[in-house]
Amino acid sequence: MLRKHVAPLAALFALGALALTACGGSTAGSAPAPTSTAQEQAAGAADGEPSLFSGSARSNKADESSGDLAPAAAPRDVKGRWVQLRAASAGALDPVVVDGRGLTLYRFDKDTAKPSKSNCNGDCAKTWPPVTVNAGGKVFLTGIRKADVGFVRRDDGQLQLTVGGWPVYRFAKDAEPGDTLGQGVGGTWFGVTPDGRKALGAAPQPPATDPAAGPATNVVLFSGKDFDDFSGNNFATSLQGPGCQDVRGTFLSLVPGGSVKLWSEPGCKGTSLVVTDDVRDVTALGFPHGPGSLFFG
């Protein structure tokens, strides 16, 4: 059995009340930028384990002909090159984890989380395909803590992803993003939340800010909620510090990778809020048109 945990990445925030002086401005770029660090890129290289990356597959410039977006007839090796896990909503489930195509991911009550063990094999795995990744592959995370993501060796030798220790699966009858046809099947299958619990439709409670979070140096902004940079005209862009940086355009979710202060107006003016990690929907935090500027440092 193989399992790996790394440092936390949780959706945390708290109100910021200190006014800032001496704010200078610059504008956000228009092209997506990778959010991974050299440490993340090197992770797993020595032992062949998959590596965890902050941000979406697209913002990390993953090959969109492979991984979660590979054609159905693609070889297993091509499909297993990368997986995206994204905190989102699907049907009445909010939050729930979805993959790079937006398909709902599930957990199975007959599995175990401590230790992680999949008990869905054979015909079960045809109905409930396990979410697997190649050794040395990549896992992209938005809205999910790295500490809650791991891997378990299946009976057939494949590496299956776990969330909160629970092996995760797709449901063969789910065809479109937002489908939740697997919810409650047999009284044992449930959508999985970003921390591994059963997704039962209850609204999430916002946690407190992480006081130990260091300052962010780079923030990836998504024009769609739930880190959506793939549907319609949605896209992601990168903004870097230091100091006050103006945001041009409307961006509704973000991945900061540290502590950053959001301001409602350009020039770091108006109302402010400190966030320390991924935010699925800034409108819920009092920014109906997204932040007007960010302060790094």
Side-chain angles (χ1 to χ4, degrees):
M1 182 184 302
L2 173 64
R3 189 164 174 203
K4 179 178 179 181
H5 291 290
V6 286
L9 181 66
L12 307 173
F13 63 85
L15 293 177
L18 295 178
L20 298 178
T21 61
C23 295
S26 66
T27 60
S30 59
T35 64
S36 58
T37 65
Q39 183 177 5
E40 287 174 318
Q41 291 172 338
D47 54 15
E49 292 184 7
S51 300
L52 305 183
F53 293 79
S54 300
S56 66
R58 179 163 289 179
S59 71
N60 279 284
K61 299 183 179 179
D63 177 5
E64 295 187 22
S65 65
S66 64
D68 287 353
L69 300 180
R76 177 187 294 178
D77 175 69
V78 173
K79 293 180 178 179
R81 291 177 186 171
W82 61 265
V83 174
Q84 180 173 327
L85 302 182
R86 177 168 64 93
S89 60
L93 305 182
D94 186 4
V96 70
V97 180
V98 302
D99 70 5
R101 290 186 293 159
L103 296 178
T104 303
L105 302 186
Y106 300 88
R107 49 168 277 181
F108 183 34
D109 280 357
K110 295 183 180 181
D111 287 346
T112 60
K114 296 181 180 180
S116 298
K117 171 64 177 174
S118 171
N119 291 307
C120 179
N121 298 285
D123 289 340
C124 175
K126 294 178 181 178
T127 302
W128 301 93
V131 179
T132 60
V133 64
N134 296 344
K138 299 178 180 180
V139 182
F140 304 110
L141 304 173
T142 51
I144 300 168
R145 297 188 307 165
K146 291 181 182 178
D148 287 329
V149 177
F151 312 95
V152 64
R153 185 75 68 179
R154 292 181 52 78
D155 289 353
D156 61 5
Q158 295 188 80
L159 280 179
Q160 183 173 2
L161 270 79
T162 65
V163 177
W166 291 95
V168 294
Y169 307 80
R170 302 176 179 94
F171 183 45
K173 293 184 179 180
D174 283 349
E176 301 292 337
D179 286 352
T180 56
L181 299 177
Q183 180 69 2
V185 169
T188 57
W189 290 93
F190 299 91
V192 63
T193 67
D195 59 1
R197 294 176 295 111
K198 297 178 185 179
L200 300 174
Q205 295 297 315
T209 294
D210 179 5
T217 59
N218 177 82
V219 172
V220 178
L221 300 155
F222 296 82
S223 56
K225 297 178 182 180
D226 290 339
F227 320 105
D228 182 356
D229 61 354
F230 54 86
S231 68
N233 295 322
N234 287 340
F235 65 97
T237 189
S238 179
L239 189 63
Q240 298 179 341
C244 183
Q245 306 293 333
D246 286 349
V247 177
R248 292 191 176 176
T250 300
F251 296 94
L252 301 181
S253 54
L254 58 89
V255 174
S259 177
V260 66
K261 181 170 281 191
L262 314 184
W263 288 89
S264 60
E265 305 296 335
C268 291
K269 299 177 180 179
T271 58
S272 64
L273 181 74
V274 173
V275 297
T276 60
D277 262 308
D278 302 9
V279 179
R280 290 174 51 199
D281 179 9
V282 296
T283 66
L285 306 184
F287 296 83
H289 306 293
S293 55
L294 307 178
F295 188 85
F296 296 82

